[in-house]
Amino acid sequence: MADVPAQAHQEPLVWEVSRKFKVVTNIRQASVTDEIGVVCLELDGPRDEVKAAIAWLEKIGVSVEPVEISVVES
């Protein structure tokens, strides 16, 4: 989960993450208001790239709360 700062609401952060790092992004859930944006974003890729993407998001002011979920497909 990530809380997006108000000034970043107009920035294409998900697109930037997918361009800067070798990760595939998948928006699982999102809620955006004038004050805050909360996005559940799945990042898939090499562990070092995922870590680098998270570090970059934190560096630009995005609050990141990693959630690891085991997905079972039938």
Side-chain angles (χ1 to χ4, degrees), residues 17-37:
V17 165
S18 67
R19 297 286 290 177
K20 289 180 179 284
F21 305 95
K22 293 178 183 172
V23 296
V24 175
T25 59
N26 184 19
I27 298 172
R28 305 291 293 191
Q29 186 176 14
S31 174
V32 179
T33 67
D34 290 338
E35 294 82 31
I36 191 168

Side-chain angles (χ1 to χ4, degrees), residues 2 6-7 9-10 14 18-19 22 35-36 38 40 44 46 49 55-56 60 71 73-74:
Q7 70 272 16
H9 282 193
Q10 300 302 317
V14 174
S18 67
R19 297 286 290 177
K22 293 178 183 172
E35 294 82 31
I36 191 168
V38 179
C40 183
D44 187 28
E49 288 290 316
W56 177 78
I60 63 170
V71 178
E73 295 186 34
S74 55

Side-chain angles (χ1 to χ4, degrees), residues 1-2 39-43 54 64-70:
M1 293 288 270
V39 178
C40 183
L41 182 67
E42 181 180 344
L43 297 177
I54 291 170
V64 178
E65 296 178 32
V67 177
E68 295 198 27
I69 301 172
S70 296

